[in-house]
Amino acid sequence: MATAAEKLREEVRRRYAESARAVTDGTDGCGCGSGSCCADGGNDRKFGEALYDVEQRGELPAAATLASLGCGNPIAVTELHEGETVLDLGSGGGIDVILSAKRVGPTGTAYGLDMTDEMLALAQQNARDAGVGNVHFLKGIIEQIPLPASSIDVVISNCVINLSTDKAAVLSEIARVLRPGGRVGVSDVVAEDRLGPTERAERGSYVGCIAGALSKGEYVAGLEAAGFEDVSVDFTHGVADGMHAAIVRAQRRQ
Ligand SMILES: C[S@@+](CC[C@H](N)C(=O)[O-])C[C@H]1O[C@@H](n2cnc3c(N)ncnc32)[C@H](O)[C@@H]1O
């Protein structure tokens, strides 16, 4: 029998499969505003394509921007260098993988990891349309990353870690796949420390990226326990009372 965590993950998978199909079919079948499931609809200045500048959107196929479901723009805050290897956790329609692939150039590699077949198919099509060859989309869960230890220079993610039912596993997997000194730069929804789990759940659904958010203190403590230093969590814009989109940065200890 499925555990509560497995049922919740399946609910997340179904919701984002529906969102991918809505983009592929040219409909808005999940009631997600401009495609933004994270927002539970109607919140499109806080989630999705509006968080990317015009220049970045110009580098992308229309379906990739339309499929953008993030709460930030990890590419804008994460310095990427030629030749680096980048991993995007919960890569969705591939927007941040495609932008990363262009930043690291042909000598670098960008991996996208997602558990939802429909999202992986959309991302692969978007990467083909964008003409980037240095990308690999992997099927799997972010709690068990299907890559070897110390194989990645930079981990990014956009509004996905809040959806995980085992955040400690995700943070320790990020530490495992990063090389010593590797960086993590993610956008995520983060709660103020004054809000307990019940108060977070009162402000929005789990699949809508609100109820499962960590607090700022929990994020910092979790990253430090997983082996990171220079941890910072900076709120960028509010998404609900006491809940914010945030940029989370840290470096894996040497
Ligand atoms: C809110 S969307 C964000 C997509 C993308 N990062 C973006 O900015 O558009 C969440 C994505 O994460 C994936 N996802 C959620 N939980 C996951 C997990 N535990 N393991 C792998 N992928 C997951 C979903 O399938 C979906 O594509």
Side-chain angles (χ1 to χ4, degrees), residues 24-247:
T24 307
D25 301 347
T27 59
D28 183 9
C30 67
C32 298
S34 68
S36 182
C37 278
C38 250
D40 276 340
N43 227 346
D44 52 339
R45 298 297 304 171
K46 295 174 180 169
F47 293 90
E49 65 187 85
L51 300 165
Y52 292 80
D53 64 31
V54 173
E55 200 182 322
Q56 287 177 318
R57 282 188 257 169
E59 295 180 49
L60 294 159
T65 45
L66 198 58
S68 171
L69 302 171
C71 49
N73 180 345
I75 301 303
V77 296
T78 311
E79 213 182 311
L80 297 179
H81 306 293
E82 286 270 327
E84 284 191 319
T85 302
V86 182
L87 167 65
D88 182 17
L89 299 180
S91 43
I95 184 167
D96 296 311
V97 178
I98 295 168
L99 289 170
S100 297
K102 291 182 177 222
R103 300 293 178 281
V104 299
T107 58
T109 304
Y111 289 101
L113 172 64
D114 207 288
M115 66 178 179
T116 305
D117 287 323
E118 291 82 349
M119 278 295 184
L120 290 164
L122 178 60
Q124 270 150 357
Q125 184 59 52
N126 284 334
R128 276 193 294 275
D129 291 347
V132 288
N134 54 335
V135 297
H136 301 282
F137 289 100
L138 309 172
K139 182 171 180 178
I141 56 173
I142 62 175
E143 295 82 359
Q144 284 169 30
I145 299 174
L147 284 170
S150 303
S151 58
I152 300 293
D153 296 304
V154 184
V155 169
I156 61 169
S157 183
N158 197 347
C159 229
V160 179
I161 294 176
N162 69 79
L163 293 169
S164 169
T165 52
D166 188 350
K167 271 89 168 167
V170 176
L171 300 181
S172 84
E173 276 293 88
I174 296 174
R176 182 184 67 79
V177 297
L178 277 176
R179 64 166 171 77
R183 289 114 55 212
V184 53
V186 310
S187 300
D188 205 3
V189 172
V190 178
E192 292 174 19
D193 289 327
R194 67 184 169 89
L195 300 184
T198 308
E199 292 161 306
R200 295 173 216 173
E202 285 165 1
R203 284 157 174 75
S205 70
Y206 198 94
V207 296
C209 294
I210 300 292
L214 291 172
S215 72
K216 186 171 181 169
E218 289 165 350
Y219 234 123
V220 172
L223 281 162
E224 286 176 350
F228 289 89
E229 59 190 5
D230 296 333
V231 178
S232 64
V233 177
D234 297 310
F235 294 153
T236 56
H237 54 278
V239 296
D241 173 28
M243 314 273 303
H244 304 263
I247 298 295

